[in-house]
């Protein structure tokens, strides 16, 4: 899910750059992935004067990737960047401690990462994209300021 979210709306994505340039989104736009044993959530958040349009454009972006596919070069670039960010986490004792604790609570092992990483294929990402990133699984929540 993390790789797909980065491909769809990471700071190097076409979606992010096109919509940032037009002012539809700003630098508060972000993505977050929460994966637990019983559920997973991918959220895209940020400030916009037109949140419905942001959702519409994101759904259009997803449909383009679903119909045309993810380019091998883009997949490799994002996958390599993800690996690099994982390795950089070892620069922080606190982060390593957090990863070990989370792994213990989720009955997983930090040393499993290379095997899991190597098992990620472009085909598996496309399958998740077509099965999970669908309109029926999407919700838009908007927080509006109180009028005074």
């Amino acid at each position: 899910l993390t790789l797909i979210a980065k491909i769809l709306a990471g700071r190097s994505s076409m979606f992010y750059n096109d919509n940032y340039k037009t002012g539809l989104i700003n630098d508060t736009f972000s993505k977050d992935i929460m994966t637990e044993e019983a559920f997973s959530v991918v959220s895209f958040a940020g400030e916009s004067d037109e949140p419905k349009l942001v959702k519409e454009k994101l759904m259009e972006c997803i449909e383009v990737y679903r119909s045309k596919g993810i380019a091998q070069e883009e997949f490799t670039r994002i996958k390599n960047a993800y690996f690099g960010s994982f390795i950089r986490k070892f620069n922080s004792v606190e982060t390593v401690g957090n990863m070990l604790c989370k792994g213990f609570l989720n009955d997983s092992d930090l040393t499993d990462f290379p095997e899991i990483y190597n098992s990620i294929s472009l085909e598996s990402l496309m399958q998740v994209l077509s099965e999970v990133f669908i309109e029926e699984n999407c919700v838009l929540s908007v927080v509006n300021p109180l009028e005074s």
Side-chain angles (χ1 to χ4, degrees):
L1 292 176
T2 301
L3 294 180
I4 294 173
K6 286 178 180 284
I7 289 169
L8 292 173
R11 293 201 181 240
S12 65
S13 70
M14 194 175 315
F15 170 85
Y16 184 93
N17 286 292
D18 289 350
N19 292 294
Y20 183 83
K21 285 177 188 172
T22 64
L24 183 61
I25 62 172
N26 60 26
D27 62 356
T28 65
F29 186 83
S30 63
K31 67 211 166 333
D32 188 35
I33 294 84
M34 182 174 23
T35 305
E36 299 299 333
E37 189 173 328
F39 68 93
S40 296
V41 175
V42 178
S43 66
F44 301 95
E47 300 170 359
S48 178
D49 291 333
E50 300 182 67
K52 290 179 182 176
L53 184 57
V54 173
K55 178 191 173 204
E56 183 181 308
K57 296 234 180 228
L58 186 56
M59 295 309 296
E60 288 172 6
C61 174
I62 291 167
E63 186 53 42
V64 166
Y65 277 109
R66 223 189 337 262
S67 63
K68 293 185 178 181
I70 298 168
Q72 181 66 48
E73 300 80 27
E74 186 173 19
F75 168 72
T76 301
R77 179 177 53 82
I78 295 295
K79 187 176 175 185
N80 288 344
Y82 183 67
F83 186 80
S85 70
F86 176 77
I87 296 299
R88 278 190 302 281
K89 290 178 181 181
F90 288 91
N91 289 333
S92 165
V93 173
E94 180 182 0
T95 302
V96 171
N98 287 335
M99 290 189 309
L100 288 170
C101 287
K102 186 175 181 179
F104 177 78
L105 294 172
N106 291 326
D107 196 30
S108 63
D109 189 339
L110 198 56
T111 60
D112 292 337
F113 178 81
E115 183 181 336
I116 294 167
Y117 172 83
N118 288 328
S119 72
I120 300 170
S121 67
L122 182 54
E123 293 75 24
S124 64
L125 256 61
M126 288 304 299
Q127 183 176 355
V128 170
L129 186 64
S130 66
E131 293 174 2
V132 176
F133 287 80
I134 54 176
E135 186 83 33
E136 293 80 32
N137 293 343
C138 183
V139 64
L140 175 64
S141 297
V142 178
V143 178
N144 290 310
L146 292 173
E147 294 183 29
S148 50

